[in-house]
């Protein structure tokens, strides 16, 4: 009597049915990943197709779970807010970043108005705030004004300044007149990274670059750990002005502020960083943390402490 041929779906040696090697690999991975799981039984001749479908459908959730573990980022548990872990402890300064999109025909009048009113707020001793810098965007989004304020004393200082300004008739008129010149505006409240330079007034002429990064949620601590080392590569030419991360407004936003003599100097300094051992590695590890990024080249107004 002639022996019956083994079914294509069988487990006998030399089986070459469609998908055979991949199915075998999946079973091997499944055995290794499921601790304590019993071995997959040997398929009987002729019953391979039905039983194989049963094993595949039953184990698919477990296979998916094992595969997901290879790609899902594991986040270390934290016992404190990242603002407490990353911000400067020796100061309690809060920063406000204002971005105003101005009607193109009103930009000159807008700048003139700001140069008349903002210094009065900056110099008023009863206001616990200071104008860090004020600029127009040169390259990037056009007809845009950027202002950076520091509130010395944190949120109580911010509340005090806002309360006093509401009682200031000149400022009330300023806001009304300014509002007629704007297309849109937004702001963010920021803290400064502990390892970054303190933004202090500097002489010009300089151009400024504001590099803004939208990070993936949950990656701020990683960013801080890498940039605590990376900032050392960018100190040779005094180009680092300040580094900040958002607390209110668009969250998981990071802003790095740089100063350069001109665009060519910017290019030379940035290229030089790639010749320093370790810079390329830090860039390699920080890039995957970013969802979006933007660069603004800005020109300071005459009243800006950062010239």
């Amino acid at each position: 009597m002639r022996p019956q041929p083994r079914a294509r779906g069988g487990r006998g040696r030399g089986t070459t049915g469609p998908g055979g090697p991949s199915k075998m690999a999946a079973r091997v991975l499944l055995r290794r990943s499921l601790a304590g799981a019993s071995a997959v039984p040997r398929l009987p001749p002729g019953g391979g197709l039905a039983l194989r479908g049963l094993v595949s459908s039953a184990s698919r959730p477990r296979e998916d779970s094992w595969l997901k573990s290879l790609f899902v980022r594991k986040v270390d548990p934290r016992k404190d807010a990242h603002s407490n872990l990353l911000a400067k402890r020796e100061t309690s300064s809060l920063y406000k970043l204002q971005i105003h999109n101005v009607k193109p025909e009103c930009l000159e009048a807008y700048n003139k108005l700001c140069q008349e009113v903002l210094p009065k707020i900056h110099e008023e001793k009863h206001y616990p705030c200071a104008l860090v810098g004020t600029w127009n965007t040169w390259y990037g989004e056009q007809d845009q004004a950027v202002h950076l304020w520091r509130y010395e004393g944190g949120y109580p200082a911010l509340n005090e300044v806002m309360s006093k300004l509401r009682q200031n008739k000149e400022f009330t008129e300023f806001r009304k007149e300014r509002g007629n010149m704007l297309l849109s505006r937004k702001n963010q409240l920021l803290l400064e990274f502990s390892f970054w330079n303190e933004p202090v007034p500097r002489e010009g002429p300089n151009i400024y670059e504001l590099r803004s990064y939208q990070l993936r949620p949950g990656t701020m601590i990683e960013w801080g750990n890498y940039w605590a080392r990376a900032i050392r590569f960018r100190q040779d030419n005094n180009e680092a002005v300040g580094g900040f991360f958002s607390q209110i407004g668009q969250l998981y936003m990071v802003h790095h502020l740089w100063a350069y003599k001109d665009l060519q100097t910017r290019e030379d300094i940035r290229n030089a960083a790639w010749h320093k051992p370790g810079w390329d590695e830090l860039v390699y590890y920080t890039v995957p943390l970013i969802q979006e990024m933007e660069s603004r080249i800005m020109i300071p107004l005459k009243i800006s402490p950062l010239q």
Side-chain angles (χ1 to χ4, degrees), residues 190-206:
L190 316 170
L191 294 176
E192 56 183 329
F193 284 110
S194 60
F195 48 84
W196 261 83
N197 308 43
E198 185 79 18
V200 296
R202 64 171 67 196
E203 296 181 354
N206 293 295

Side-chain angles (χ1 to χ4, degrees), residues 196-197 202 231 234-235 237-242 257-259:
W196 261 83
N197 308 43
R202 64 171 67 196
I231 191 61
R234 300 296 307 276
Q235 298 285 7
N237 299 278
N238 195 32
E239 70 268 25
V241 177
L257 184 60
W258 308 91

Side-chain angles (χ1 to χ4, degrees), residues 78-91:
R78 300 288 177 183
K79 297 183 179 180
D80 205 350
H82 66 249
S83 58
N84 294 331
L85 297 172
L86 295 174
K88 291 185 177 179
R89 295 183 181 274
E90 63 271 19
T91 65

Side-chain angles (χ1 to χ4, degrees), residues 2-120:
R2 296 174 60 187
Q4 294 294 322
R6 189 177 299 274
R8 179 172 294 181
R11 296 268 318 263
R13 183 177 300 173
T15 301
T16 58
S22 62
K23 286 294 182 182
M24 290 177 66
R27 292 191 187 98
V28 171
L29 294 175
L30 183 60
R31 290 194 201 102
R32 291 181 178 179
S33 62
L34 301 176
S38 59
V40 179
R42 186 180 183 87
L43 302 181
L49 290 176
L51 187 54
R52 182 169 57 184
L54 178 63
V55 171
S56 176
S57 62
S59 63
R60 187 174 295 115
R62 292 179 178 179
E63 288 186 53
D64 290 346
S65 177
W66 181 82
L67 290 172
K68 286 179 181 178
S69 69
L70 296 178
F71 302 102
V72 175
R73 179 184 296 274
K74 294 182 179 180
V75 179
D76 294 333
R78 300 288 177 183
K79 297 183 179 180
D80 205 350
H82 66 249
S83 58
N84 294 331
L85 297 172
L86 295 174
K88 291 185 177 179
R89 295 183 181 274
E90 63 271 19
T91 65
S92 57
S93 293
L94 181 71
Y95 290 82
K96 179 168 68 174
L97 179 68
Q98 297 176 303
I99 299 177
H100 293 169
N101 291 313
V102 185
K103 297 176 182 178
E105 67 275 13
C106 297
L107 185 59
E108 184 176 348
Y110 172 93
N111 288 338
K112 182 180 179 181
L113 183 64
C114 287
Q115 291 179 128
E116 292 174 356
V117 178
L118 298 188
K120 297 178 182 179

Side-chain angles (χ1 to χ4, degrees), residues 10 17 36 47 54 95 102 112 131 150 158 163 167 201:
L54 178 63
Y95 290 82
V102 185
K112 182 180 179 181
L131 181 63
R150 180 195 295 116
L158 173 66
S163 178
Q167 306 301 320

Side-chain angles (χ1 to χ4, degrees), residues 271-285:
N271 287 339
W274 290 97
H275 298 288
K276 299 176 181 179
W279 173 256
D280 57 342
E281 181 182 354
L282 291 168
V283 172
Y284 174 83
Y285 285 114

